[in-house]
mmCIF file of all heavy atoms in Angstrom:
data_model
loop_
_atom_site.group_PDB
_atom_site.id
_atom_site.type_symbol
_atom_site.label_atom_id
_atom_site.label_comp_id
_atom_site.label_asym_id
_atom_site.label_seq_id
_atom_site.Cartn_x
_atom_site.Cartn_y
_atom_site.Cartn_z
ATOM 1 N N LEU R 23 3.781 -10.886 -34.798
ATOM 2 C CA LEU R 23 2.738 -10.599 -33.816
ATOM 3 C C LEU R 23 1.442 -11.321 -34.197
ATOM 4 O O LEU R 23 1.149 -11.503 -35.379
ATOM 5 C CB LEU R 23 2.477 -9.088 -33.748
ATOM 6 C CG LEU R 23 3.590 -8.231 -33.148
ATOM 7 C CD1 LEU R 23 3.293 -6.745 -33.385
ATOM 8 C CD2 LEU R 23 3.753 -8.513 -31.661
ATOM 9 N N PRO R 24 0.645 -11.713 -33.214
ATOM 10 C CA PRO R 24 -0.635 -12.356 -33.522
ATOM 11 C C PRO R 24 -1.642 -11.326 -34.016
ATOM 12 O O PRO R 24 -1.446 -10.119 -33.873
ATOM 13 C CB PRO R 24 -1.066 -12.942 -32.170
ATOM 14 C CG PRO R 24 -0.465 -11.995 -31.169
ATOM 15 C CD PRO R 24 0.859 -11.581 -31.749
ATOM 16 N N SER R 25 -2.727 -11.805 -34.585
ATOM 17 C CA SER R 25 -3.831 -10.916 -34.955
ATOM 18 C C SER R 25 -4.765 -10.769 -33.763
ATOM 19 O O SER R 25 -4.692 -11.540 -32.800
ATOM 20 C CB SER R 25 -4.596 -11.492 -36.143
ATOM 21 O OG SER R 25 -5.277 -12.684 -35.761
ATOM 22 N N ASP R 26 -5.649 -9.789 -33.832
ATOM 23 C CA ASP R 26 -6.633 -9.635 -32.763
ATOM 24 C C ASP R 26 -7.537 -10.863 -32.684
ATOM 25 O O ASP R 26 -7.948 -11.272 -31.589
ATOM 26 C CB ASP R 26 -7.453 -8.358 -32.953
ATOM 27 C CG ASP R 26 -8.181 -8.308 -34.288
ATOM 28 O OD1 ASP R 26 -7.525 -8.516 -35.326
ATOM 29 O OD2 ASP R 26 -9.401 -8.068 -34.301
ATOM 30 N N ARG R 27 -7.835 -11.497 -33.822
ATOM 31 C CA ARG R 27 -8.677 -12.703 -33.815
ATOM 32 C C ARG R 27 -7.984 -13.849 -33.074
ATOM 33 O O ARG R 27 -8.636 -14.602 -32.343
ATOM 34 C CB ARG R 27 -9.008 -13.122 -35.247
ATOM 35 C CG ARG R 27 -9.996 -12.192 -35.938
ATOM 36 C CD ARG R 27 -10.286 -12.648 -37.365
ATOM 37 N NE ARG R 27 -11.331 -11.833 -37.970
ATOM 38 C CZ ARG R 27 -11.139 -10.646 -38.496
ATOM 39 N NH1 ARG R 27 -9.918 -10.114 -38.496
ATOM 40 N NH2 ARG R 27 -12.140 -9.954 -39.023
ATOM 41 N N GLN R 28 -6.677 -13.992 -33.282
ATOM 42 C CA GLN R 28 -5.940 -15.037 -32.583
ATOM 43 C C GLN R 28 -5.964 -14.813 -31.075
ATOM 44 O O GLN R 28 -6.149 -15.755 -30.297
ATOM 45 C CB GLN R 28 -4.489 -15.079 -33.077
ATOM 46 C CG GLN R 28 -4.312 -15.626 -34.480
ATOM 47 C CD GLN R 28 -2.873 -15.523 -34.942
ATOM 48 O OE1 GLN R 28 -2.344 -14.428 -35.173
ATOM 49 N NE2 GLN R 28 -2.211 -16.662 -35.059
ATOM 50 N N VAL R 29 -5.765 -13.589 -30.665
ATOM 51 C CA VAL R 29 -5.745 -13.271 -29.231
ATOM 52 C C VAL R 29 -7.114 -13.531 -28.615
ATOM 53 O O VAL R 29 -7.219 -14.095 -27.514
ATOM 54 C CB VAL R 29 -5.319 -11.802 -29.013
ATOM 55 C CG1 VAL R 29 -5.563 -11.372 -27.569
ATOM 56 C CG2 VAL R 29 -3.852 -11.633 -29.376
ATOM 57 N N ILE R 30 -8.184 -13.140 -29.310
ATOM 58 C CA ILE R 30 -9.536 -13.377 -28.793
ATOM 59 C C ILE R 30 -9.811 -14.869 -28.684
ATOM 60 O O ILE R 30 -10.391 -15.340 -27.698
ATOM 61 C CB ILE R 30 -10.574 -12.677 -29.692
ATOM 62 C CG1 ILE R 30 -10.471 -11.159 -29.518
ATOM 63 C CG2 ILE R 30 -11.989 -13.154 -29.363
ATOM 64 C CD1 ILE R 30 -11.324 -10.367 -30.495
ATOM 65 N N ARG R 31 -9.371 -15.626 -29.688
ATOM 66 C CA ARG R 31 -9.582 -17.076 -29.660
ATOM 67 C C ARG R 31 -8.817 -17.715 -28.496
ATOM 68 O O ARG R 31 -9.344 -18.592 -27.807
ATOM 69 C CB ARG R 31 -9.153 -17.688 -30.991
ATOM 70 C CG ARG R 31 -9.491 -19.166 -31.118
ATOM 71 C CD ARG R 31 -9.353 -19.647 -32.549
ATOM 72 N NE ARG R 31 -8.017 -19.434 -33.084
ATOM 73 C CZ ARG R 31 -7.731 -18.564 -34.039
ATOM 74 N NH1 ARG R 31 -8.686 -17.793 -34.556
ATOM 75 N NH2 ARG R 31 -6.505 -18.428 -34.486
ATOM 76 N N LEU R 32 -7.597 -17.291 -28.282
ATOM 77 C CA LEU R 32 -6.822 -17.805 -27.157
ATOM 78 C C LEU R 32 -7.457 -17.406 -25.826
ATOM 79 O O LEU R 32 -7.547 -18.205 -24.894
ATOM 80 C CB LEU R 32 -5.385 -17.275 -27.220
ATOM 81 C CG LEU R 32 -4.478 -17.857 -28.306
ATOM 82 C CD1 LEU R 32 -3.184 -17.062 -28.394
ATOM 83 C CD2 LEU R 32 -4.172 -19.319 -28.020
ATOM 84 N N GLY R 33 -7.913 -16.160 -25.749
ATOM 85 C CA GLY R 33 -8.508 -15.674 -24.506
ATOM 86 C C GLY R 33 -9.758 -16.434 -24.127
ATOM 87 O O GLY R 33 -10.046 -16.622 -22.940
ATOM 88 N N ALA R 34 -10.527 -16.894 -25.117
ATOM 89 C CA ALA R 34 -11.753 -17.633 -24.837
ATOM 90 C C ALA R 34 -11.468 -18.934 -24.111
ATOM 91 O O ALA R 34 -12.319 -19.449 -23.376
ATOM 92 C CB ALA R 34 -12.507 -17.914 -26.132
ATOM 93 N N SER R 35 -10.258 -19.476 -24.292
ATOM 94 C CA SER R 35 -9.868 -20.700 -23.591
ATOM 95 C C SER R 35 -8.848 -20.408 -22.492
ATOM 96 O O SER R 35 -8.079 -21.284 -22.091
ATOM 97 C CB SER R 35 -9.300 -21.723 -24.582
ATOM 98 O OG SER R 35 -8.214 -21.175 -25.320
ATOM 99 N N ASN R 36 -8.828 -19.142 -22.034
ATOM 100 C CA ASN R 36 -7.961 -18.722 -20.924
ATOM 101 C C ASN R 36 -6.480 -18.942 -21.223
ATOM 102 O O ASN R 36 -5.698 -19.293 -20.329
ATOM 103 C CB ASN R 36 -8.352 -19.439 -19.625
ATOM 104 C CG ASN R 36 -9.725 -19.040 -19.144
ATOM 105 O OD1 ASN R 36 -10.077 -17.866 -19.170
ATOM 106 N ND2 ASN R 36 -10.504 -20.012 -18.714
ATOM 107 N N ARG R 37 -6.107 -18.725 -22.476
ATOM 108 C CA ARG R 37 -4.694 -18.794 -22.852
ATOM 109 C C ARG R 37 -4.237 -17.424 -23.336
ATOM 110 O O ARG R 37 -5.041 -16.581 -23.718
ATOM 111 C CB ARG R 37 -4.486 -19.848 -23.945
ATOM 112 C CG ARG R 37 -4.711 -21.281 -23.455
ATOM 113 C CD ARG R 37 -4.379 -22.263 -24.563
ATOM 114 N NE ARG R 37 -5.312 -22.140 -25.688
ATOM 115 C CZ ARG R 37 -5.065 -22.597 -26.908
ATOM 116 N NH1 ARG R 37 -3.898 -23.165 -27.189
ATOM 117 N NH2 ARG R 37 -5.980 -22.465 -27.864
ATOM 118 N N MET R 38 -2.922 -17.213 -23.314
ATOM 119 C CA MET R 38 -2.373 -15.911 -23.677
ATOM 120 C C MET R 38 -1.198 -16.105 -24.624
ATOM 121 O O MET R 38 -0.346 -16.968 -24.414
ATOM 122 C CB MET R 38 -1.916 -15.164 -22.412
ATOM 123 C CG MET R 38 -1.293 -13.814 -22.677
ATOM 124 S SD MET R 38 -0.833 -12.963 -21.131
ATOM 125 C CE MET R 38 0.480 -14.037 -20.524
ATOM 126 N N HIS R 39 -1.150 -15.303 -25.659
ATOM 127 C CA HIS R 39 -0.018 -15.342 -26.582
ATOM 128 C C HIS R 39 1.228 -14.823 -25.867
ATOM 129 O O HIS R 39 1.150 -13.842 -25.120
ATOM 130 C CB HIS R 39 -0.326 -14.489 -27.816
ATOM 131 C CG HIS R 39 0.624 -14.714 -28.953
ATOM 132 N ND1 HIS R 39 1.869 -14.124 -29.000
ATOM 133 C CD2 HIS R 39 0.515 -15.466 -30.092
ATOM 134 C CE1 HIS R 39 2.481 -14.487 -30.112
ATOM 135 N NE2 HIS R 39 1.678 -15.307 -30.788
ATOM 136 N N PRO R 40 2.392 -15.433 -26.081
ATOM 137 C CA PRO R 40 3.606 -15.005 -25.353
ATOM 138 C C PRO R 40 4.035 -13.568 -25.614
ATOM 139 O O PRO R 40 4.740 -12.969 -24.796
ATOM 140 C CB PRO R 40 4.676 -16.003 -25.827
ATOM 141 C CG PRO R 40 4.127 -16.629 -27.069
ATOM 142 C CD PRO R 40 2.647 -16.626 -26.919
ATOM 143 N N LEU R 41 3.614 -12.996 -26.732
ATOM 144 C CA LEU R 41 3.992 -11.617 -27.033
ATOM 145 C C LEU R 41 2.951 -10.600 -26.565
ATOM 146 O O LEU R 41 3.143 -9.393 -26.756
ATOM 147 C CB LEU R 41 4.220 -11.442 -28.539
ATOM 148 C CG LEU R 41 5.443 -12.141 -29.126
ATOM 149 C CD1 LEU R 41 5.488 -11.950 -30.636
ATOM 150 C CD2 LEU R 41 6.730 -11.615 -28.490
ATOM 151 N N ALA R 42 1.877 -11.064 -25.947
ATOM 152 C CA ALA R 42 0.783 -10.158 -25.597
ATOM 153 C C ALA R 42 1.232 -9.052 -24.652
ATOM 154 O O ALA R 42 1.064 -7.858 -24.945
ATOM 155 C CB ALA R 42 -0.379 -10.949 -24.981
ATOM 156 N N LEU R 43 1.763 -9.401 -23.512
ATOM 157 C CA LEU R 43 2.141 -8.380 -22.532
ATOM 158 C C LEU R 43 3.342 -7.546 -22.988
ATOM 159 O O LEU R 43 3.328 -6.321 -22.801
ATOM 160 C CB LEU R 43 2.405 -9.033 -21.174
ATOM 161 C CG LEU R 43 1.172 -9.676 -20.516
ATOM 162 C CD1 LEU R 43 1.524 -10.239 -19.145
ATOM 163 C CD2 LEU R 43 0.028 -8.676 -20.397
ATOM 164 N N PRO R 44 4.386 -8.143 -23.583
ATOM 165 C CA PRO R 44 5.457 -7.290 -24.120
ATOM 166 C C PRO R 44 4.965 -6.290 -25.156
ATOM 167 O O PRO R 44 5.419 -5.142 -25.202
ATOM 168 C CB PRO R 44 6.434 -8.300 -24.739
ATOM 169 C CG PRO R 44 6.208 -9.559 -23.979
ATOM 170 C CD PRO R 44 4.738 -9.573 -23.679
ATOM 171 N N PHE R 45 4.003 -6.716 -25.998
ATOM 172 C CA PHE R 45 3.460 -5.801 -27.001
ATOM 173 C C PHE R 45 2.742 -4.633 -26.333
ATOM 174 O O PHE R 45 2.934 -3.466 -26.720
ATOM 175 C CB PHE R 45 2.500 -6.539 -27.923
ATOM 176 C CG PHE R 45 1.767 -5.628 -28.871
ATOM 177 C CD1 PHE R 45 2.373 -5.152 -30.017
ATOM 178 C CD2 PHE R 45 0.465 -5.221 -28.604
ATOM 179 C CE1 PHE R 45 1.705 -4.295 -30.884
ATOM 180 C CE2 PHE R 45 -0.209 -4.377 -29.466
ATOM 181 C CZ PHE R 45 0.406 -3.909 -30.605
ATOM 182 N N LEU R 46 1.900 -4.905 -25.330
ATOM 183 C CA LEU R 46 1.213 -3.811 -24.643
ATOM 184 C C LEU R 46 2.191 -2.876 -23.971
ATOM 185 O O LEU R 46 2.013 -1.656 -23.979
ATOM 186 C CB LEU R 46 0.241 -4.377 -23.596
ATOM 187 C CG LEU R 46 -1.135 -4.829 -24.055
ATOM 188 C CD1 LEU R 46 -2.035 -5.054 -22.850
ATOM 189 C CD2 LEU R 46 -1.769 -3.848 -25.022
ATOM 190 N N ALA R 47 3.236 -3.443 -23.362
ATOM 191 C CA ALA R 47 4.252 -2.595 -22.721
ATOM 192 C C ALA R 47 4.937 -1.715 -23.746
ATOM 193 O O ALA R 47 5.206 -0.530 -23.498
ATOM 194 C CB ALA R 47 5.266 -3.478 -21.991
ATOM 195 N N GLY R 48 5.222 -2.276 -24.924
ATOM 196 C CA GLY R 48 5.857 -1.488 -25.976
ATOM 197 C C GLY R 48 4.965 -0.385 -26.486
ATOM 198 O O GLY R 48 5.426 0.741 -26.742
ATOM 199 N N LEU R 49 3.683 -0.679 -26.646
ATOM 200 C CA LEU R 49 2.752 0.343 -27.119
ATOM 201 C C LEU R 49 2.608 1.463 -26.100
ATOM 202 O O LEU R 49 2.575 2.650 -26.461
ATOM 203 C CB LEU R 49 1.391 -0.287 -27.400
ATOM 204 C CG LEU R 49 0.356 0.615 -28.084
ATOM 205 C CD1 LEU R 49 0.846 1.057 -29.456
ATOM 206 C CD2 LEU R 49 -0.987 -0.104 -28.210
ATOM 207 N N GLU R 50 2.526 1.102 -24.828
ATOM 208 C CA GLU R 50 2.415 2.127 -23.786
ATOM 209 C C GLU R 50 3.688 2.971 -23.725
ATOM 210 O O GLU R 50 3.622 4.188 -23.542
ATOM 211 C CB GLU R 50 2.145 1.464 -22.433
ATOM 212 C CG GLU R 50 2.000 2.432 -21.269
ATOM 213 C CD GLU R 50 0.727 3.285 -21.346
ATOM 214 O OE1 GLU R 50 -0.081 3.084 -22.279
ATOM 215 O OE2 GLU R 50 0.574 4.158 -20.475
ATOM 216 N N GLU R 51 4.825 2.343 -23.894
ATOM 217 C CA GLU R 51 6.085 3.085 -23.901
ATOM 218 C C GLU R 51 6.140 4.038 -25.091
ATOM 219 O O GLU R 51 6.573 5.191 -24.962
ATOM 220 C CB GLU R 51 7.258 2.108 -23.940
ATOM 221 C CG GLU R 51 8.623 2.764 -23.982
ATOM 222 C CD GLU R 51 8.928 3.638 -22.775
ATOM 223 O OE1 GLU R 51 8.278 3.458 -21.725
ATOM 224 O OE2 GLU R 51 9.805 4.510 -22.894
ATOM 225 N N ALA R 52 5.666 3.574 -26.250
ATOM 226 C CA ALA R 52 5.644 4.445 -27.421
ATOM 227 C C ALA R 52 4.699 5.614 -27.202
ATOM 228 O O ALA R 52 4.984 6.756 -27.590
ATOM 229 C CB ALA R 52 5.215 3.649 -28.656
ATOM 230 N N ALA R 53 3.562 5.364 -26.556
ATOM 231 C CA ALA R 53 2.589 6.427 -26.301
ATOM 232 C C ALA R 53 3.099 7.437 -25.284
ATOM 233 O O ALA R 53 2.606 8.562 -25.222
ATOM 234 C CB ALA R 53 1.280 5.826 -25.806
ATOM 235 N N SER R 54 4.081 7.051 -24.494
ATOM 236 C CA SER R 54 4.621 7.979 -23.490
ATOM 237 C C SER R 54 5.538 9.024 -24.113
ATOM 238 O O SER R 54 5.799 10.067 -23.520
ATOM 239 C CB SER R 54 5.393 7.205 -22.418
ATOM 240 O OG SER R 54 6.576 6.645 -22.957
ATOM 241 N N THR R 55 6.023 8.760 -25.332
ATOM 242 C CA THR R 55 6.918 9.698 -25.998
ATOM 243 C C THR R 55 6.225 10.531 -27.069
ATOM 244 O O THR R 55 6.663 11.627 -27.383
ATOM 245 C CB THR R 55 8.093 8.941 -26.641
ATOM 246 O OG1 THR R 55 7.587 7.969 -27.574
ATOM 247 C CG2 THR R 55 8.907 8.218 -25.572
ATOM 248 N N ALA R 56 5.132 9.990 -27.626
ATOM 249 C CA ALA R 56 4.371 10.733 -28.643
ATOM 250 C C ALA R 56 2.928 10.259 -28.612
ATOM 251 O O ALA R 56 2.681 9.056 -28.561
ATOM 252 C CB ALA R 56 4.961 10.502 -30.035
ATOM 253 N N PRO R 57 1.971 11.185 -28.629
ATOM 254 C CA PRO R 57 0.562 10.772 -28.635
ATOM 255 C C PRO R 57 0.269 9.821 -29.791
ATOM 256 O O PRO R 57 0.772 10.002 -30.897
ATOM 257 C CB PRO R 57 -0.190 12.100 -28.791
ATOM 258 C CG PRO R 57 0.759 13.137 -28.291
ATOM 259 C CD PRO R 57 2.127 12.640 -28.648
ATOM 260 N N ILE R 58 -0.557 8.784 -29.517
ATOM 261 C CA ILE R 58 -0.860 7.792 -30.536
ATOM 262 C C ILE R 58 -1.416 8.438 -31.797
ATOM 263 O O ILE R 58 -1.109 8.030 -32.909
ATOM 264 C CB ILE R 58 -1.872 6.758 -29.990
ATOM 265 C CG1 ILE R 58 -1.217 5.922 -28.891
ATOM 266 C CG2 ILE R 58 -2.400 5.858 -31.082
ATOM 267 C CD1 ILE R 58 -0.088 5.052 -29.369
ATOM 268 N N GLY R 59 -2.235 9.468 -31.641
ATOM 269 C CA GLY R 59 -2.837 10.121 -32.798
ATOM 270 C C GLY R 59 -1.829 10.790 -33.701
ATOM 271 O O GLY R 59 -2.125 11.083 -34.859
ATOM 272 N N GLU R 60 -0.620 11.047 -33.185
ATOM 273 C CA GLU R 60 0.410 11.703 -33.985
ATOM 274 C C GLU R 60 1.401 10.706 -34.573
ATOM 275 O O GLU R 60 2.352 11.092 -35.249
ATOM 276 C CB GLU R 60 1.152 12.731 -33.118
ATOM 277 C CG GLU R 60 0.254 13.856 -32.613
ATOM 278 C CD GLU R 60 0.993 14.811 -31.704
ATOM 279 O OE1 GLU R 60 2.225 14.664 -31.592
ATOM 280 O OE2 GLU R 60 0.349 15.704 -31.124
#
């Protein structure tokens, strides 16, 4: 996975890491089964 710095650097030039959206989908799916704080 990229770092947050890599994603910000790519975003500044209107580019997106290929794992960006799958990662967000995975995190949201994980949060649907257990609260992030837990």
